[in-house]
C-alpha cells in the first residue's frame, strides 16, 4: 500500500519486470541478457557433486588438513546477534547507550518517491549530471540540439562507478564510468531501427569515463565540479587504449585496423571499478557483447562456441552501430569483440597517459576489480563475472608493490597487473546437499558456510588448463574456467576486501534461472531456486593471507523481505532490519561496516543504499540509508567520513518512458528531461552515521 507521502508498506506490489527493472533498462544496458539463455551451459562439477558424500561438519573437518585449515576461520567470522538494536553499543555523551558505530540514523522506509530520500538531518545535492561541462570549451547542455562534438566535452550518460583520488585538501579527482546509453531517452522522435549517424556518434561520446576535479565547499558541504584545463578528461568509444599483458598481440586480438593486436579504440559498458593504492582507477567492461552485430552468421564451430559462451548471437544490434563502423559487425571483424571484456586502468594523475586494457586479469563480463596488498607485498585483485551461473576470480601479481608516490614507484606499480597468476573459485559447503531444496531454509547447523579453493588458470605464458594455450585462457577465460570445474554463482558483481577485517565481500545480485529444468539447482552457497533477490557472500583467506589457495566462507545476507522465511540477516533478529533486494555494489566505511547499493529492487521499492555491520552483536543489522528517484539505480557508492557519493543511474527509465514522454524530471524539476547524475549526501557538522 502506498501512503500519501510516497512510502510503501511491505508486502510491495510486484513490479512489471520480474527483477524490478523496466524493459527499457534490460534492452539498453545488457541487451536483454536475462531473457536469453544463460551462456554457461557447461556441466562442470559444482557444490552438490563435490560434497555429496559429506554429511556433517565433522565429516568435512575429517576430510583433510587443507579443508580443516580453511574451515577453521569460519567460526571466527560471526558475532553473537542482538535481538534489539537499542541494547548495548557505544555510549553517547549523555550516557545513553547507542547502537553500532556508523549507524546512528533512522532507517529510510521503502518508497516510490521521485527524489533522493535520506534520513532526517541529511542534505543532498547534485555534483554533476549528464551534459554538464567537463572540458574547457564545452557548450551548455542543450537537449534538443545535441552534437557528438559537444558530448565529447561533457559529462557522459548513465554514470555507474565513481571513484575519488585525493588531490589536495578537500579536493579530489573524481572518475565516473558511463556504462551505457539509452537512446530512446536521449533523443525525441528516436527510431531504434534507423538511428542517424550523429545520434550514433553522440552515443559513442556518451560512453566511457569522465575525469573531473571536484572541490568541497566548507561553508555548505557541497561538492562542486571544476572545469580544470590540465586534469579533466573524457574517455570515449573513440579514445585510444593500450593492450597490456601476456595476451597483447595475440592472434585473437588482431583486426584489419590493428594488425598488431595492441591498440584498441574505446571501452564499452563500463560498470563497477576500484581505486588502486597507487592512485589509478580500475574499470570493468561488462555487457560488451550487445554492441556487436551478426554473430549469428558465423559458421566456424570453434568461433561460434566462443561467441556463444560470451552471449553473442543474432543479427542486428540494438544501437545499430555496425551501420557506421564495420568493427561492430562480427561477420566483418570477428576479432574486434575479443578486444572488449577486460579490466581497464586509467591514471587520472597523468592526463596525457593512455588508458590500458589488462589481459592478465582475463576476459569476461567484468563487474569491476578491487585491490588488496598481501602481507608479502604482492597485489591481489578480486573479480566477478556478472552473468547467471558464472564465476568469482582472483589475480595475484608476480612482483611486489612499492610504497610511495614517487614517479619510479608509480611506474612500477602500474605494471603489477601485467604479470601474475589468475585463479577461479570453487566453493564447498559443509552441510549435506540433501538439506538444500531451493526454499532458502537454513541448514541444520544454522548457517550457510563452508570452505573453498582457488584453482589456477594461467600464469604468464603457462596455462594450467588442459587443452588451452595461455592466450586462449586469457581471451576465452570463461571456457577455461568451465573446464576446471569452477562453482556456478548467482551473478557475481562487485567483490571487495574489507580494509578493517581483511575479509572479502561479494554481491551476488540474483539468478531467476537457478533450479529451472535443465539448470543447476540449489547449493549451500546459492541456496534458493528462482533467486530474484540475491545474497551477500563473505570469505576469509586462510591465515589471513590474500595469496592463499584456500579460504572459508559464509553468507552474510540472503536478501529479500525479512518477513519471509527464505531470508537471512547474519543471524540477526529479522524484525529489526530493512528489506533489501538485488545487491550490486559494495563499499566500506572507516568502522568496517558494509555499504550496499541495489539494482532492480524486486520488492517494488525504489533502489537504495544500505549499511550493515559485519562483526559483533550487530552483525546482520541492516539499515536503509537512502533511496534514489523513480526508475533509477543506485550505483558506485563512495563512503567518506563526511559525505557519501552515489551515482543515480537511468532516472525515470520506466516502461513507457521516452524523451517524448518523460516520466520523471529529476534532477532539474519542472518539465526538464531526466539526467543521470552523481549526488552527494552529507550532514552538517557530523560524520556519516554518527
Amino acid at each position: 500500500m502506498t501512503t500519501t507521502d510516497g512510502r510503501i508498506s511491505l508486502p510491495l506490489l510486484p513490479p512489471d519486470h520480474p527483477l524490478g527493472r523496466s524493459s527499457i533498462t534490460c534492452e539498453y544496458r545488457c541487451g536483454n541478457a536475462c531473457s536469453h539463455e544463460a551462456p554457461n551451459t557447461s556441466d562442470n562439477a559444482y557444490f552438490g557433486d563435490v560434497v555429496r558424500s559429506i554429511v556433517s561438519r565433522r565429516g568435512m573437518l575429517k576430510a583433510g588438513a587443507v579443508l580443516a585449515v580453511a574451515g577453521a576461520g569460519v567460526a571466527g567470522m560471526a558475532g553473537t546477534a542482538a535481538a534489539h538494536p537499542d541494547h548495548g553499543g557505544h555510549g553517547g555523551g549523555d550516557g545513553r547507550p547507542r547502537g553500532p558505530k556508523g549507524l546512528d540514523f533512522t532507517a529510510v522506509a521503502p518508497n516510490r518517491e521521485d527524489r533522493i530520500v535520506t534520513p532526517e538531518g541529511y542534505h543532498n545535492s547534485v555534483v554533476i549530471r549528464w551534459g554538464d561541462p567537463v572540458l574547457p570549451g564545452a557548450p551548455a547542455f542543450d537537449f534538443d540540439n545535441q552534437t557528438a562534438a559537444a558530448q565529447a566535452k561533457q559529462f557522459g550518460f548513465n554514470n555507474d562507478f565513481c571513484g575519488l583520488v585525493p588531490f589536495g585538501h578537500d579536493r579530489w579527482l573524481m572518475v565516473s564510468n558511463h556504462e551505457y546509453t539509452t537512446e530512446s531517452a536521449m533523443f525525441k522522435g528516436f527510431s531504434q531501427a534507423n538511428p542517424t549517424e550523429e545520434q550514433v556518434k553522440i552515443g559513442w561520446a556518451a560512453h566511457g569515463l569522465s575525469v573531473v576535479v571536484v572541490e568541497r565547499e566548507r561553508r555548505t558541504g557541497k561538492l562542486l565540479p571544476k572545469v580544470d584545463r590540465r586534469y579533466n578528461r573524457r574517455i570515449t568509444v573513440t579514445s585510444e587504449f593500450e593492450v597490456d599483458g601476456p595476451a597483447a598481440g595475440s592472434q585473437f586480438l588482431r583486426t584489419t585496423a590493428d594488425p598488431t593486436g595492441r591498440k584498441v579504440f574505446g571501452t564499452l559498458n563500463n560498470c563497477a571499478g576500484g581505486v588502486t593504492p597507487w592512485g589509478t582507477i580500475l574499470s570493468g567492461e561488462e555487457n560488451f557483447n550487445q554492441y556487436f552485430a551478426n554473430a549469428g552468421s558465423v559458421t566456424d564451430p570453434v568461433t561460434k562456441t566462443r561467441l556463444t559462451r560470451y552471449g553473442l548471437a543474432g543479427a542486428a544490434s540494438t544501437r545499430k552501430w555496425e551501420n557506421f563502423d564495420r568493427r561492430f559487425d562480427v561477420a566483418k571483424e570477428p576479432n574486434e569483440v575479443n578486444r572488449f571484456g577486460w579490466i581497464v586502468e586509467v591514471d587520472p594523475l597523468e592526463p596525457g597517459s593512455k588508458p590500458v586494457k589488462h589481459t592478465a586479469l582475463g576476459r569476461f563480463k567484468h563487474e569491476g576489480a578491487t585491490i588488496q596488498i598481501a602481507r608479502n607485498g604482492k597485489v591481489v585483485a578480486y573479480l566477478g563475472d556478472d552473468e547467471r551461473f558464472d564465476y568469482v576470480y582472483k589475480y595475484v601479481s608476480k612482483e611486489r608493490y612499492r610504497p610511495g608516490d614517487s614517479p619510479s614507484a608509480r611506474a612500477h606499480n602500474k605494471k603489477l597487473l601485467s604479470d601474475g597468476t589468475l585463479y577461479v573459485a570453487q566453493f564447498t559447503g559443509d552441510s549435506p546437499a540433501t538439506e538444500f531444496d531451493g526454499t532458502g531454509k537454513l541448514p541444520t547447523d544454522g548457517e550457510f558456510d563452508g570452505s573453498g579453493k582457488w584453482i589456477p588458470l594461467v600464469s604468464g605464458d603457462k596455462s594450467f588448463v588442459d587443452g588451452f594455450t595461455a592466450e586462449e585462457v586469457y581471451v576465452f577465460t570463461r571456457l577455461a574456467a568451465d573446464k576446471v570445474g569452477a562453482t556456478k554463482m548467482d551473478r557475481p558483481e562487485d567483490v571487495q576486501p574489507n580494509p578493517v577485517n581483511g575479509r572479502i565481500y561479494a554481491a551476488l545480485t540474483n539468478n531467476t534461472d537457478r533450479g529451472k529444468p535443465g539448470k543447476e539447482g540449489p547449493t549451500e552457497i546459492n541456496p534458493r531456486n528462482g533467486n530474484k533477490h540475491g545474497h551477500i557472500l563473505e570469505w576469509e583467506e586462510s591465515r589471513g593471507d590474500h595469496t592463499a589457495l584456500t579460504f572459508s566462507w559464509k553468507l552474510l545476507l540472503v536478501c529479500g523481505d525479512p518477513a519471509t522465511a527464505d531470508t537471512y540477516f547474519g543471524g540477526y533478529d529479522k524484525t529489526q532490519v530493512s528489506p533489501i533486494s538485488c545487491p550490486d555494489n559494495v563499499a566500506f566505511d572507516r568502522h568496517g561496516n558494509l555499504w550496499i547499493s541495489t539494482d532492480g529492487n524486486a520488492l517494488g521499492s525504489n533502489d537504495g543504499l544500505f549499511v550493515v555491520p559485519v562483526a559483533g552483536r550487530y552483525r546482520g543489522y541492516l539499515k536503509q540509508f537512502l533511496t534514489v528517484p523513480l526508475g533509477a539505480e543506485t550505483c558506485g557508492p563512495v563512503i567518506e567520513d563526511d559525505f557519501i557519493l552515489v551515482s543515480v543511474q537511468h532516472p525515470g527509465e520506466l516502461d513507457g518512458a521516452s524523451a517524448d514522454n518523460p516520466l520523471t524530471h529529476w534532477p532539474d524539476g519542472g518539465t526538464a528531461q531526466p539526467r543521470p547524475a552523481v549526488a552527494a549526501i552529507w550532514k552538517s557538522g557530523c560524520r556519516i552515521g554518527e
Side-chain angles (χ1 to χ4, degrees):
M1 177 179 179
T2 306
T3 64
T4 56
D5 62 1
R7 293 177 298 164
I8 299 178
S9 300
L10 293 175
L12 302 178
L13 294 175
D16 293 336
H17 189 278
L19 294 177
R21 289 188 195 152
S22 74
S23 59
I24 300 171
T25 303
C26 291
E27 181 165 20
Y28 282 99
R29 185 171 67 176
C30 60
N32 288 313
C34 290
S35 67
H36 302 146
E37 281 294 311
N40 190 352
T41 59
S42 65
D43 58 357
N44 55 298
Y46 69 100
F47 161 82
D49 297 327
V50 174
V51 297
R52 199 167 297 280
S53 62
I54 300 174
V55 296
S56 68
R57 183 187 299 269
R58 178 175 298 176
M60 182 195 73
L61 294 176
K62 288 182 176 180
V66 170
L67 285 180
V69 170
V74 176
M77 290 170 67
T80 303
H84 300 288
D86 58 347
H87 292 169
H90 63 291
D94 56 7
R96 292 182 300 168
R98 295 286 187 265
K101 292 182 178 180
L103 275 75
D104 188 12
F105 61 88
T106 300
V108 168
N111 66 78
R112 295 286 288 173
E113 295 193 48
D114 195 17
R115 64 187 181 95
I116 294 176
V117 179
T118 59
E120 183 178 355
Y122 283 84
H123 312 282
N124 70 84
S125 69
V126 168
V127 179
I128 192 169
R129 60 203 187 282
W130 170 46
D132 283 350
V134 170
L135 301 182
F141 181 66
D142 184 345
F143 184 89
D144 294 315
N145 295 284
Q146 299 178 60
T147 67
Q151 178 62 86
K153 295 181 177 182
Q154 297 165 335
F155 196 68
F157 202 77
N158 272 339
N159 45 293
D160 193 309
F161 169 77
C162 183
L164 294 179
V165 175
F167 193 57
H169 180 65
D170 276 348
R171 200 166 186 249
W172 298 266
L173 290 170
M174 184 182 77
V175 184
S176 291
N177 287 351
H178 300 294
E179 185 178 7
Y180 71 101
T181 49
T182 309
E183 277 74 4
S184 63
M186 297 170 67
F187 310 112
K188 291 179 180 177
F190 179 71
S191 170
Q192 188 178 78
N194 190 31
T196 68
E197 183 173 3
E198 187 69 11
Q199 288 170 338
V200 166
K201 289 182 176 180
I202 291 169
W204 293 349
H207 277 72
L209 300 95
S210 293
V211 181
V212 183
V213 172
V214 295
E215 296 179 354
R216 189 168 185 229
E217 188 176 68
R218 297 299 298 178
R219 181 179 60 84
T220 64
K222 292 182 178 181
L223 261 70
L224 304 175
K226 302 295 180 183
V227 179
D228 187 277
R229 292 184 175 275
R230 180 176 180 186
Y231 288 98
N232 281 17
R233 189 175 181 187
R234 277 303 322 280
I235 296 169
T236 73
V237 172
T238 60
S239 299
E240 185 176 335
F241 283 70
E242 174 189 347
V243 182
D244 171 80
S250 163
Q251 60 178 315
F252 303 117
L253 302 182
R254 299 171 192 162
T255 65
T256 303
D258 174 31
T260 69
R262 295 177 179 273
K263 182 173 69 174
V264 175
F265 285 98
T267 186
L268 293 172
N269 214 256
N270 298 75
C271 196
V275 181
T276 69
W278 48 94
T280 63
I281 298 292
L282 302 180
S283 173
E285 297 182 321
E286 193 183 21
N287 293 295
F288 60 90
N289 57 301
Q290 64 172 308
Y291 298 86
F292 293 87
N294 299 323
S297 66
V298 173
T299 57
D300 175 69
V302 174
T303 303
K304 194 173 187 67
T305 296
R306 290 166 172 167
L307 291 171
T308 301
R309 185 63 181 89
Y310 280 83
L312 281 96
S317 71
T318 294
R319 293 176 179 81
K320 311 296 188 294
W321 287 4
E322 65 273 15
N323 293 351
F324 303 99
D325 191 334
R326 61 174 281 135
R327 66 187 175 122
F328 295 106
D329 187 333
V330 174
K332 295 177 180 177
E333 288 290 352
N335 279 351
E336 183 70 29
V337 68
N338 298 337
R339 293 144 67 85
F340 296 87
W342 304 101
I343 290 294
V344 170
E345 185 171 16
V346 175
D347 189 348
L349 294 169
E350 295 184 17
S353 61
K354 288 181 185 177
V356 172
K357 295 195 178 190
H358 285 296
T359 63
L361 275 63
R363 176 176 164 267
F364 40 88
K365 287 188 179 181
H366 280 282
E367 172 74 12
T370 52
I371 299 296
Q372 176 74 35
I373 306 298
R375 285 198 298 258
N376 65 2
K378 292 190 175 184
V379 161
V380 179
Y382 290 99
L383 315 157
D385 186 349
D386 184 7
E387 188 84 72
R388 292 162 293 164
F389 301 115
D390 261 293
Y391 310 127
V392 173
Y393 298 82
K394 113 172 156 178
Y395 164 92
V396 179
S397 67
K398 180 180 179 181
E399 301 296 330
R400 289 172 168 78
Y401 171 73
R402 290 183 187 173
D405 56 3
S406 68
S408 61
R410 293 194 81 241
H412 169 83
N413 292 333
K414 287 199 292 183
K415 288 295 184 182
L416 292 173
L417 301 181
S418 304
D419 188 8
T421 304
L422 183 64
Y423 302 86
V424 68
Q426 188 178 81
F427 297 87
T428 301
D430 71 352
S431 296
T434 54
E435 291 198 16
F436 303 99
D437 59 4
T439 65
K441 68 180 181 181
L442 281 168
T444 54
D445 68 1
E447 291 182 307
F448 301 104
D449 60 350
S451 59
K453 65 179 181 180
W454 293 106
I455 303 172
L457 296 175
V458 64
S459 183
D461 60 0
K462 179 177 176 58
S463 168
F464 300 108
V465 184
D466 289 344
F468 283 74
T469 66
E471 68 174 348
E472 287 172 335
V473 176
Y474 291 118
V475 181
F476 309 112
T477 312
R478 282 182 166 182
L479 289 157
D482 293 343
K483 185 73 176 289
V484 301
T487 299
K488 296 179 178 180
M489 305 293 281
D490 286 357
R491 287 188 58 204
E493 296 218 37
D494 210 1
V495 186
Q496 294 206 26
N498 187 323
V500 173
N501 65 19
R503 298 171 196 147
I504 302 93
Y505 296 78
L508 300 164
T509 295
N510 52 53
N511 182 359
T512 54
D513 274 9
R514 187 166 290 280
K516 285 184 177 179
K519 307 291 185 182
E520 182 180 280
T523 66
E524 186 158 6
I525 200 164
N526 300 287
R528 289 185 297 194
N529 285 336
N531 177 17
K532 62 182 179 180
H533 296 301
H535 46 283
I536 296 290
L537 168 66
E538 171 189 65
W539 74 85
E540 185 172 21
E541 304 279 17
S542 295
R543 302 173 302 281
D545 178 5
H546 288 270
T547 68
L549 298 182
T550 56
F551 55 87
S552 55
W553 65 265
K554 285 180 179 287
L555 295 189
L556 172 64
L557 304 176
V558 179
C559 302
D561 181 351
T564 62
D566 68 338
T567 55
Y568 174 76
F569 289 79
Y572 201 82
D573 179 359
K574 295 200 296 180
T575 67
Q576 304 292 320
V577 305
S578 296
I580 183 174
S581 177
C582 300
D584 187 345
N585 300 127
V586 296
F588 301 93
D589 60 26
R590 65 191 183 92
H591 307 293
N593 296 319
L594 176 68
W595 291 74
I596 307 164
S597 65
T598 63
D599 166 20
N601 193 322
L603 292 170
S605 172
N606 289 351
D607 274 319
L609 181 65
F610 301 75
V611 60
V612 60
V614 299
R617 64 183 304 180
Y618 293 101
R619 175 180 166 90
Y621 174 36
L622 182 89
K623 295 180 72 174
Q624 182 158 354
F625 180 77
L626 63 76
T627 54
V628 292
L630 286 171
E633 175 187 341
T634 315
C635 299
V638 175
I639 313 300
E640 296 286 332
D641 286 352
D642 300 323
F643 63 87
I644 285 174
L645 296 180
V646 292
S647 295
V648 182
Q649 193 185 77
H650 58 77
E653 205 160 274
L654 302 162
D655 286 335
S658 69
D660 298 291
N661 182 39
L663 297 182
T664 181
H665 304 288
W666 190 90
D668 296 329
T671 61
Q673 294 283 345
R675 295 164 70 179
V678 177
I681 300 93
W682 72 97
K683 188 175 184 180
S684 298
C686 294
R687 288 177 164 171
I688 297 295
E690 296 184 10

